């Protein structure tokens, strides 16, 4: 009897050991999947690159080279969660603008990545104070960003992830500004050149609805942000880019997909107005400037038949997909982020529009020139 009991205990312990081993392997694999860009320190990546060049120059083993190339191909970010509060984004943004042109120009994205790396992507009550403390040290010359982040293992990950999200938002641009006599004058600016997706003067309601369940077609989480308003509300291009998709989708109804010029961001605007969803000049391949009117709010969708209003509440659904490798674009590995705090941040820059009574189209009043467009067209 005691021998049987002892054998049972040994088998139980062995089983637990196997389960613990499997769990450890799973966690290690999950960590590599989430943080692939920091799987090796930068110094190791540089030396590995040098080794690859050396092998190629002396006719190294082809199978080893192929294996290394495949590993390099897979070395991109596969998951991002974005929880930066609007208040912290605004604080970092103001520091960026305030120091523009100074000897030490504070990059708002790097500041946010620094705070994120300190707390694993979360932002405690001390985050704002930590941001200002780091900014003061950098401006005084007491330290550099490289020194400040040297011991933060996941800083490279957050810098790359947050750059993919925010890199098109702030920079130099030219914009028309209304003068006292009613005329428009071009001015050179540096600052926020991304816009709220809803035009200035149009009311909307929203809340953080990312991840809420959806059931039409199949059970799935809500991978975007809804802004409830009135039919016909002008919808604004958040960032400059080119139209990659235009037409009907059974889930999104009439929708527009706009890709950023660096191809890192795909903006999805859905449930546009029945019969008159888009700016009539738009087509696939069209270049749009941040702040342009691209379409109109409606409640189309949830139908295989085109031009049907099956959405109960009039609203704009907008989402941002991050693309670190083109294989992620239309796949089971798509990365969509929570845009609620970004929407709050962009509220500070809403584009004023006017209606053309003849064409019934809305247009921006003050035009903008984005250097990103010139750079893109020059390279085409």
């Amino acid at each position: 009897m005691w021998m049987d009991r002892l054998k049972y205990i040994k088998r139980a312990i062995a089983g637990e050991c196997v389960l613990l081993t499997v769990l450890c392997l799973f966690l290690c694999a999950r960590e590599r999947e989430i943080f692939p860009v920091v799987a090796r320190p930068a110094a190791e990546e540089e030396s590995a690159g040098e080794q690859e060049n050396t092998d190629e120059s002396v006719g190294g083993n082809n199978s080893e080279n192929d294996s290394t190339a495949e590993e390099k191909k897979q070395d991109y970010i596969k998951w991002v969660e974005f929880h930066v509060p609007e208040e912290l984004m605004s604080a970092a943004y103001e520091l960026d603008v305030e120091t523009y042109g100074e000897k030490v120009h504070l990059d708002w994205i790097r500041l946010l990545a620094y705070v994120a790396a300190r707390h694993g992507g979360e932002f405690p009550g001390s985050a704002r104070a930590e941001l200002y403390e780091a900014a003061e040290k950098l401006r005084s010359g007491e330290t550099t960003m490289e020194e400040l982040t040297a011991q933060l293992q996941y800083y490279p990950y957050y810098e790359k992830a947050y750059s993919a999200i925010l890199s098109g938002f702030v920079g130099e641009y030219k914009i028309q500004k209304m003068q006292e006599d009613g005329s428009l004058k071009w001015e050179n600016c540096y600052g926020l050149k991304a816009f709220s997706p809803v035009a200035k003067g149009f009311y909307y309601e929203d809340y953080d609805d990312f991840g809420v369940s959806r059931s039409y077609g199949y059970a799935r989480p809500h991978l975007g942000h809804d802004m409830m308003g009135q039919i016909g509300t002008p919808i604004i291009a958040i960032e400059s880019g080119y139209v990659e998709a235009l037409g009907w989708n059974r889930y999104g109804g009439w929708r527009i997909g706009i890709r950023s010029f660096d191809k890192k961001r795909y903006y999805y605007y859905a449930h546009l107005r029945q019969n008159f969803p888009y700016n009539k000049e738009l087509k696939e391949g069209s270049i749009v400037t941040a702040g342009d009117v691209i379409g109109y709010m409606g409640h189309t969708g949830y139908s295989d038949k085109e031009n049907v209003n099956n959405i109960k509440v009039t609203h704009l659904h907008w989402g941002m997909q991050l693309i670190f490798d083109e294989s992620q674009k239309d796949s089971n590995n798509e990365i969509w982020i929570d845009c609620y705090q970004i929407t709050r941040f962009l509220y500070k820059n809403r584009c004023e529009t006017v209606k053309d009574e003849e064409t019934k189209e809305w247009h921006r009043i003050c035009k903008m020139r984005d250097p990103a467009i010139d750079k893109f067209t020059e390279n085409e």
Side-chain angles (χ1 to χ4, degrees):
M1 177 178 177
W2 285 105
M3 291 297 294
D4 291 340
R5 185 174 180 82
L6 183 60
K7 289 179 181 179
Y8 173 80
I9 293 172
K10 287 182 177 180
R11 285 197 297 270
I13 292 173
E16 289 182 0
C17 289
V18 171
L19 287 174
L20 286 172
T21 301
V22 172
L23 180 60
C24 289
L25 290 172
F26 172 78
L27 290 175
C28 289
R30 179 63 175 163
E31 182 175 343
R32 286 181 62 83
E33 179 181 352
I34 295 177
F35 301 108
V37 296
V38 291
R40 294 184 299 180
E44 290 183 27
E45 290 180 357
E46 291 173 5
S47 62
E50 292 172 1
Q51 184 63 45
E52 287 173 13
N53 293 336
T54 303
D55 290 343
E56 183 177 356
S57 64
V58 297
N61 185 292
N62 288 335
S63 62
E64 289 182 2
N65 289 339
D66 292 343
S67 176
T68 304
E70 183 62 27
E71 288 178 6
K72 188 175 182 180
K73 183 180 178 182
Q74 296 298 321
D75 190 23
Y76 55 84
I77 293 178
K78 300 176 178 64
W79 184 251
V80 175
E81 289 186 349
F82 188 73
H83 302 301
V84 184
E86 179 275 326
E87 295 78 8
L88 199 65
M89 275 190 277
S90 292
Y93 164 71
E94 289 164 7
L95 287 167
D96 187 310
V97 174
E98 182 182 331
T99 59
Y100 178 69
E102 293 185 1
K103 183 178 180 180
V104 177
H105 177 209
L106 300 176
D107 184 309
W108 74 305
I109 298 174
R110 300 186 75 189
L111 286 172
L112 293 173
Y114 163 73
V115 179
R118 286 173 61 94
H119 303 285
E122 299 300 326
F123 297 88
S126 61
R128 192 183 183 96
E130 292 174 19
L131 184 83
Y132 284 129
E133 182 182 359
E136 184 59 33
K137 289 181 179 179
L138 292 167
R139 294 182 76 174
S140 67
E142 179 181 339
T143 187
T144 65
M145 184 58 76
E146 288 69 28
E147 293 170 344
L148 201 61
T149 60
Q151 302 304 314
L152 297 176
Q153 182 181 3
Y154 293 125
Y155 172 77
Y157 162 80
Y158 285 108
E159 182 186 14
K160 192 166 185 177
Y162 287 7
S163 292
I165 298 168
L166 302 171
S167 60
F169 282 29
V170 175
E172 296 178 340
Y173 61 97
K174 291 183 178 181
I175 197 165
Q176 292 178 324
K177 292 196 175 180
M178 188 73 68
Q179 307 301 302
E180 291 183 1
D181 61 0
S183 63
L184 294 172
K185 181 180 178 181
W186 285 100
E187 293 186 13
N188 294 319
C189 299
Y190 176 86
L192 185 59
K193 60 176 184 174
F195 290 81
S196 167
V198 173
K200 184 177 182 179
F202 289 85
Y203 175 80
Y204 70 85
E205 293 181 351
D206 67 339
Y207 61 93
D208 193 352
D209 56 347
F210 187 80
V212 175
S213 63
R214 293 289 186 270
S215 59
Y216 177 77
Y218 63 99
R220 64 197 186 282
H222 185 228
L223 299 178
H225 181 64
D226 289 347
M227 304 173 73
M228 283 65 74
Q230 295 182 330
I231 291 177
T233 295
I235 302 306
I236 304 299
I238 295 170
E239 181 185 348
S240 300
Y242 58 91
V243 177
E244 194 168 74
L246 189 77
W248 182 263
N249 177 287
R250 66 178 301 206
Y251 300 103
W254 292 122
R255 91 300 188 220
I256 302 174
I258 296 178
R259 192 77 171 265
S260 63
F261 294 129
D262 64 4
K263 297 191 175 184
K264 296 295 184 183
R265 292 167 296 289
Y266 177 74
Y267 293 91
Y268 181 71
Y269 307 84
H271 309 312
L272 302 179
R273 183 171 61 182
Q274 187 183 49
N275 299 322
F276 195 170
Y278 318 121
N279 179 317
K280 293 176 183 177
E281 296 179 356
L282 286 187
K283 60 182 182 296
E284 288 190 13
S286 294
I287 291 178
V288 298
T289 303
D292 284 353
V293 177
I294 56 173
Y296 304 96
M297 188 181 293
H299 54 112
T300 58
Y302 283 16
S303 173
D304 289 323
K305 184 179 179 181
E306 287 190 0
N307 206 32
V308 174
N309 285 328
N310 270 350
I311 302 293
K312 294 180 180 179
V313 179
T314 300
H315 70 279
L316 167 71
H317 166 107
W318 84 271
M320 183 192 291
Q321 182 189 1
L322 303 182
I323 302 164
F324 297 94
D325 185 86
E326 205 59 30
S327 65
Q328 296 173 304
K329 178 61 174 63
D330 296 302
S331 71
N332 293 325
N333 301 313
E334 294 176 355
I335 302 174
W336 295 89
I337 62 166
D338 188 340
C339 298
Y340 177 62
Q341 296 298 334
I342 293 176
T343 303
R344 292 183 62 214
F345 175 71
L346 292 175
Y347 186 85
K348 63 171 87 292
N349 200 24
R350 301 183 70 185
C351 191
E352 192 169 359
T353 58
V354 63
K355 187 176 183 180
D356 184 326
E357 293 298 339
E358 184 177 341
T359 65
K360 306 303 180 184
E361 290 270 21
W362 288 82
H363 301 281
R364 67 191 305 161
I365 294 176
C366 299
K367 295 181 180 180
M368 187 177 89
R369 294 173 182 165
D370 188 348
I373 294 177
D374 296 332
K375 184 177 180 180
F376 178 76
T377 53
E378 286 173 5
N379 294 331
E380 282 295 287

